[in-house]
Amino acid sequence: VTITRCSVRLFRDSDNLVMSAKGTRDEVAKFLRVDDADLGIAAKDLPITWRYGQRQVPRKDAGTLIRIEQRAG
């Protein structure tokens, strides 16, 4: 799952980007019926790989893009 924040201003710190997507991540996980908590689980064994991005856009185009792709294999 890739969550892309589209905003007039870009975050300089990736920590802020991840935290800004927390609510979206929780809702996507709920929609996909998975637990998004990954404590103590190896990354290869997680049901979802989370990616984050950001894009600078005019105010009228601000929002969040969510891309869900099936893992190969």
Side-chain angles (χ1 to χ4, degrees):
V1 175
T2 303
I3 299 172
T4 304
R5 175 184 176 267
C6 301
S7 182
V8 175
R9 294 196 176 108
L10 299 178
F11 286 134
R12 294 182 184 185
D13 186 341
S14 62
D15 291 345
N16 292 335
L17 179 60
V18 172
M19 289 305 299
S20 74
K22 176 72 170 106
T24 302
R25 176 177 164 151
D26 290 345
E27 290 303 314
V28 170
K30 187 187 309 181
F31 174 79
L32 296 174
R33 297 185 181 139
V34 297
D35 182 0
D36 70 328
D38 54 10
L39 300 175
I41 301 174
K44 67 178 181 56
D45 296 329
L46 291 173
I48 295 176
T49 300
W50 298 97
R51 294 185 182 98
Y52 303 91
Q54 59 182 333
R55 185 181 301 170
Q56 195 166 19
V57 298
R59 186 174 308 280
K60 68 179 181 64
D61 296 328
T64 303
L65 298 174
I66 302 167
R67 182 176 180 151
I68 300 173
E69 298 176 271
Q70 185 171 355
R71 189 179 291 169

